[in-house]
Amino acid sequence: MQVQVLKQQQVIRLFKFNTGQDDYGIMFMDDFLIQVKSAKKRMETKHSQDAAAVFDWFTKHVLTCYFDVGISYRQLEGLLSQSGESVKDKHVSLLINGGLLVRKLADPTSYWFSIPNVGSLLKYLTQGRKELLSFLNRQRYKEMLMSSLEKRRLRMSQLDIRFHIRDLIGLGHLCTVNTPAGLLIRVARD
């Protein structure tokens, strides 16, 4: 409930990540607007300033009144055209190339709002999850003490193993058991 209020007050922005799971991210709106400005600067160096004006339209007409994690092409076109300019596919392509929109896999005429350059983070997130679960599944009882597990380094992720442990506990893939020897991390039984 509080998240919805913060969204409506434009304090935060929610993002749906394309990780194959039901993953969402939350970012402060001020931080996201900084990302939009830097994406605009990157696009101005590659394209004309007239073309990069779509980033201003996006900030003024889309981000201020549309709070969902995804948007259809028609809705996006309608909101962007409030700028008084005619919206073309090249404008939407600039937003995609700037990393602010990602096509939905199920519906190519719809988009997820996105954080520029979030791809490497999502790559480390998914690969770290796989590697940690694979490692624990190879253990005899599919469990290991937290103290021993924290000493391991993941090869496929630059994120700390403690991050992945907490992430997988939150997803319900791992569970914890208090033992006299310390906290035990166990693969959850389906």
Side-chain angles (χ1 to χ4, degrees):
M1 183 65 179
Q2 241 179 352
V3 171
Q4 295 299 329
V5 172
L6 291 172
K7 268 178 38 176
Q8 297 298 328
Q9 294 173 345
Q10 297 183 21
V11 174
I12 61 170
R13 183 101 198 163
L14 254 62
F15 299 92
K16 170 82 172 82
F17 294 139
N18 262 342
T19 57
Q21 296 193 17
D22 209 17
D23 292 332
Y24 288 86
I26 298 174
M27 187 175 198
F28 285 113
M29 189 63 160
D30 292 341
D31 294 337
F32 183 60
L33 291 174
I34 291 169
Q35 293 293 318
V36 173
K37 286 178 187 171
S38 76
K40 178 184 174 186
K41 284 181 186 174
R42 282 193 312 274
M43 289 298 136
E44 281 176 340
T45 61
K46 297 177 184 177
H47 303 280
S48 69
Q49 287 191 338
D50 294 338
V54 72
F55 291 92
D56 295 326
W57 308 342
F58 182 74
T59 302
K60 185 176 181 184
H61 301 292
V62 178
L63 295 180
T64 57
C65 63
Y66 196 83
F67 307 111
D68 202 2
V69 294
I71 191 167
S72 71
Y73 180 81
R74 293 242 185 264
Q75 291 170 315
L76 181 64
E77 185 181 41
L79 291 169
L80 289 174
S81 64
Q82 290 177 4
S83 65
E85 302 289 329
S86 99
V87 177
K88 299 181 175 98
D89 285 344
K90 71 175 185 177
H91 293 118
V92 176
S93 293
L94 280 173
L95 293 172
I96 292 170
N97 292 337
L100 301 173
L101 295 174
V102 175
R103 287 192 198 279
K104 288 185 180 180
L105 297 175
D107 182 8
T109 62
S110 295
Y111 307 94
W112 296 118
F113 290 102
S114 179
I115 303 167
N117 302 318
V118 76
S120 57
L121 172 75
L122 297 179
K123 177 183 167 188
Y124 293 142
L125 180 67
T126 55
Q127 288 181 337
R129 284 175 178 170
K130 285 180 191 174
E131 186 177 348
L132 182 56
L133 283 172
S134 173
F135 173 74
L136 285 171
N137 279 320
R138 288 191 313 262
Q139 300 303 305
R140 185 170 183 183
Y141 296 108
K142 298 182 181 189
E143 61 190 24
M144 188 175 215
L145 285 174
M146 176 77 138
S147 58
S148 300
L149 197 54
E150 285 178 334
K151 293 176 186 171
R152 293 195 51 85
R153 280 194 37 85
L154 297 174
R155 292 179 295 125
M156 304 300 284
S157 176
Q158 292 186 7
L159 300 172
D160 190 65
I161 194 163
R162 291 173 297 183
F163 174 86
H164 289 292
I165 292 168
R166 290 183 189 113
D167 175 50
L168 290 168
I169 289 170
L171 287 172
H173 294 296
L174 298 179
C175 58
T176 60
V177 178
N178 284 318
T179 67
L183 193 62
L184 186 75
I185 305 296
R186 177 182 292 158
V187 176
R189 310 211 193 293
D190 293 332

